[in-house]
Amino acid sequence: MSSSSKHPPQVALFINGEKVFSKSANFRNITNPATQEVIAVVPFATVDEVNAAVASAAEAFKTWKKTPVGARSRIFLKYQQLIRENMKELAAILTAEQGKTLADAEGDVFRGLEVVEHAAGIGNLQLGDFANNVANGVDTYSILQPLGVCAGITPFNFPAMIPLWMFPMAIATGNTFVLKPSEQDPMVTMRLVELAAEAGIPPGVLNVVHGGEEVVNAICDHSAIKAISFVGSTKVGTHVYNRASLNGKRVQCMMGAKNHAVILPDANKEQALNNLAGAAFGAAGQRCMAISVAILVGEAKDWIADLATKALTLKVNAGVEPGTDIGPLVSKEAFKRVIGFIERGVAEGATLDLDGREQQVPGYESGNFIGPTIFSGVKPGMSIYDKEIFGPVLCVSFAKNLDDAIEMINANPNGNGTSIFTQSGAAARKFQEEIDVGQVGINVPIPVPVPMFSFTGSRASKLGDLGPYGKQVIAFYTQTKTITARWFDDNTIAAGVNTTISLK
Ligand code: NAD
């Protein structure tokens, strides 16, 4: 993964099955968010290096696309086993560079592992259709063929799960891949790539380049890349979608969010508040599916003090310390941005019920820690409501009834996830039917679907029609080819010339 002679070590590129140390003059530090220790440096790859990665993927595609489905499948069977065997090491790398707790880091790897398990079943997933005898002696059938070189661009917040949303399904369907991990925490991704090679993914089928804007633009512009899967902020995702679409690529972009939870007064209070606190403050709020707005309906408005008490029980500490619930934010920049939002929330007139700004963590004084923070009386038009904060800050709004709560959520541009807490089946069903959000939890705070379904965020949280993983991604990474075939009988000669479009 990294050169041992340099201190701090340099994260390598991965091209044609080999670790390659970049010739770039441009590097960035990878910093432990709990200690500020620089644990590695990552290069911003040159355009020549991006071209070399794509050329290697294009060459490998010539043979990989012909690899029998059973052979592809068996690589992912082996890969899931290797990920399991190395789970503790993967989680430790992830926590060191990203900050989340070790338990949550294992969850990050595990949710990606589930996609690898799914990829191992590719023989049952990449199936075409067959219609027998659609006209006299004619059959129609479809096959799902790989596209060629595909690329993935990933965010910092799930450096294991999100790369694993992408390259396993792309490669299992017969494509080759160029991955551009987040430059903030690429080390666990690189370890996963090494394990993929160990599992038998041949040289050139999976390549990695590091970098930021310049490398992403080179990927959007490269004529040999057929499809791009992007996960990250709305601003960058919109840019990637527009630029790569104009270049004729298939693109899917999973982007920013503002996820609302509706708490009805008939909900089981203890369960609802536990779920709310976990989903708002877990991973220091740095999840695209974090609950960032709670709408307390009717009498549930009186539950804020109990929610704050619960939030105060969460232990803020370095992710490696046993019993930690909330680790540091990923970077000093993220820390400053979140502090800025809290200051604006106060200035804009929201009520600060719990203030996490002065969070002391003995032994980790320089860490990027912010404790759970709760604002109530939050309304559309306040920047803490209109913008994605991506920190441990929960906005609380009030609604008279379920209709008002649904109206508020549907008026928000984002559509990544939402949830409702209630004991009423009728209320839950009404919510499920009327809410205009692509992923809905019923007494489940973070409804990220398992891989036999797809991640189906909607509206401003998503560009492109097909989601990552699940059935939709099989369609995303393949071209449907439909074949209409007639094998002539001798007696069809008698039919003569057919000058119509109908199959006779
Ligand atoms: P980001 O958009 O800053 O970075 C994502 C990727 O884009 C990185 O690989 C980065 O190197 C690259 N990039 C950054 N700036 C760029 C630029 N100007 N031009 C081209 N490329 C650029 O996102 P992030 O901060 O790493 O991740 C957090 C964001 O991702 C949040 O908005 C979160 O909601 C979102 N997210 C969404 C989902 C989802 O499934 N909808 C999942 C996880 C994260």
Side-chain angles (χ1 to χ4, degrees):
M1 171 179 46
S2 47
S3 69
S4 50
S5 54
K6 288 196 180 160
H7 294 287
Q10 183 188 139
V11 180
L13 313 173
F14 192 75
I15 300 175
N16 202 26
E18 305 278 343
K19 286 186 236 168
V20 176
F21 289 99
S22 176
K23 297 198 168 39
S24 176
N26 199 357
F27 287 83
R28 174 194 161 109
N29 290 340
I30 301 168
T31 308
N32 181 320
T35 63
Q36 308 308 325
E37 182 198 353
V38 176
I39 53 178
V41 294
V42 64
F44 287 72
T46 64
V47 170
D48 282 351
E49 288 162 347
V50 175
N51 289 341
V54 178
S56 143
E59 185 58 30
F61 181 63
K62 293 177 188 163
T63 44
W64 180 248
K65 67 179 176 186
K66 296 181 187 154
T67 308
V69 66
R72 283 181 266 141
S73 168
R74 278 187 290 277
I75 289 174
F76 290 97
L77 280 174
K78 174 76 178 164
Y79 189 33
Q80 66 79 28
Q81 179 198 346
L82 287 175
I83 293 174
R84 278 176 204 284
E85 287 170 5
N86 291 278
M87 179 64 91
K88 296 277 174 219
E89 184 207 346
L90 289 162
I93 299 170
L94 201 164
T95 295
E97 62 181 343
Q98 204 274 352
K100 64 178 71 171
T101 68
L102 285 171
D104 199 27
E106 284 198 29
D108 189 330
V109 179
F110 183 78
R111 293 303 307 253
L113 171 62
E114 289 181 312
V115 182
V116 176
E117 291 169 343
H118 199 63
I122 192 64
N124 293 318
L125 302 172
Q126 196 176 355
L127 295 175
D129 294 320
F130 188 101
N132 182 222
N133 224 20
V134 296
N136 194 11
V138 178
D139 302 320
T140 298
Y141 52 96
S142 61
I143 55 178
L144 306 182
Q145 294 192 304
L147 301 175
V149 181
C150 299
I153 301 161
T154 57
F156 81 83
N157 65 329
F158 283 100
M161 176 183 82
I162 291 177
L164 292 175
W165 279 3
M166 296 180 181
F167 71 78
M169 292 304 286
I171 290 173
T173 46
N175 300 283
T176 57
F177 208 79
V178 176
L179 178 67
K180 206 301 285 173
S182 170
E183 68 278 31
Q184 298 193 65
D185 50 11
M187 295 169 74
V188 69
T189 316
M190 289 310 289
R191 186 71 188 114
L192 285 165
V193 167
E194 283 180 357
L195 293 174
E198 195 180 325
I201 290 184
V205 172
L206 175 58
N207 304 274
V208 184
V209 289
H210 301 291
E213 184 173 358
E214 194 187 353
V215 169
V216 167
N217 286 341
I219 289 171
C220 293
D221 293 346
H222 201 300
S223 60
I225 294 175
K226 305 295 178 204
I228 299 179
S229 182
F230 169 93
V231 180
S233 64
T234 303
K235 181 166 169 266
V236 179
T238 305
H239 163 75
V240 166
Y241 188 83
N242 291 337
R243 187 160 178 151
S245 298
L246 279 176
N247 284 318
K249 300 184 198 321
R250 196 176 280 185
V251 196
Q252 56 172 209
C253 294
M254 283 57 70
M255 307 185 291
K258 201 78 185 177
N259 307 305
H260 299 64
V262 176
I263 316 294
L264 295 189
D266 73 349
N268 179 307
K269 183 176 171 185
E270 187 66 13
Q271 285 173 359
L273 295 185
N274 279 341
N275 278 288
L276 202 51
F281 307 123
Q286 299 171 116
R287 293 179 179 137
C288 67
M289 290 287 280
I291 294 295
S292 47
V293 183
I295 306 181
L296 304 184
V297 176
E299 298 306 303
K301 72 177 183 324
D302 298 331
W303 296 2
I304 292 188
D306 289 331
L307 178 62
T309 305
K310 209 163 267 300
L312 279 172
T313 66
L314 299 175
K315 201 168 148 204
V316 180
N317 205 339
V320 291
E321 295 296 338
T324 302
D325 297 301
I326 302 175
L329 289 153
V330 70
S331 64
K332 279 281 171 241
E333 292 71 34
F335 175 88
K336 284 185 203 138
R337 203 196 60 247
V338 175
I339 295 289
F341 269 114
I342 299 173
E343 285 165 0
R344 251 173 289 160
V346 173
E348 287 170 348
T351 306
L352 187 56
D353 297 283
L354 186 62
D355 184 355
R357 282 177 290 184
E358 298 300 324
Q359 189 67 51
Q360 305 302 328
V361 179
Y364 296 95
E365 283 74 11
S366 59
N368 313 325
F369 297 101
I370 299 180
T373 298
I374 301 176
F375 277 110
S376 61
V378 177
K379 297 192 172 68
M382 294 180 176
S383 53
I384 52 170
Y385 181 80
D386 292 346
K387 299 258 166 33
E388 184 182 38
I389 301 175
F390 227 56
V393 180
L394 178 66
C395 295
V396 177
S397 299
F398 305 113
K400 279 201 305 294
N401 52 39
L402 179 57
D403 283 315
D404 287 358
I406 291 173
E407 194 181 318
M408 180 175 179
I409 298 171
N410 288 350
N412 187 287
N414 296 286
N416 220 31
T418 187
S419 58
I420 185 167
F421 286 84
T422 179
Q423 309 227 38
S424 158
R429 193 165 189 288
K430 175 186 169 74
F431 186 74
Q432 161 200 308
E433 294 297 309
E434 295 182 14
I435 207 73
D436 190 6
V437 173
Q439 302 179 108
V440 179
I442 297 174
N443 298 316
V444 171
I446 302 187
V448 175
V450 290
M452 47 289 259
F453 297 86
S454 301
F455 190 94
T456 56
S458 65
R459 296 200 276 133
S461 300
K462 168 93 174 289
L463 282 167
D465 299 323
L466 299 168
Y469 70 79
K471 283 183 193 148
Q472 294 190 0
V473 100
I474 303 286
F476 182 76
Y477 284 128
T478 59
Q479 172 65 46
T480 303
K481 187 180 277 178
T482 311
I483 297 121
T484 304
R486 167 178 279 154
W487 292 98
F488 290 100
D489 271 342
D490 284 349
N491 61 11
T492 56
I493 296 165
V497 177
N498 176 13
T499 56
T500 73
I501 195 172
S502 58
L503 295 165
K504 288 190 176 162

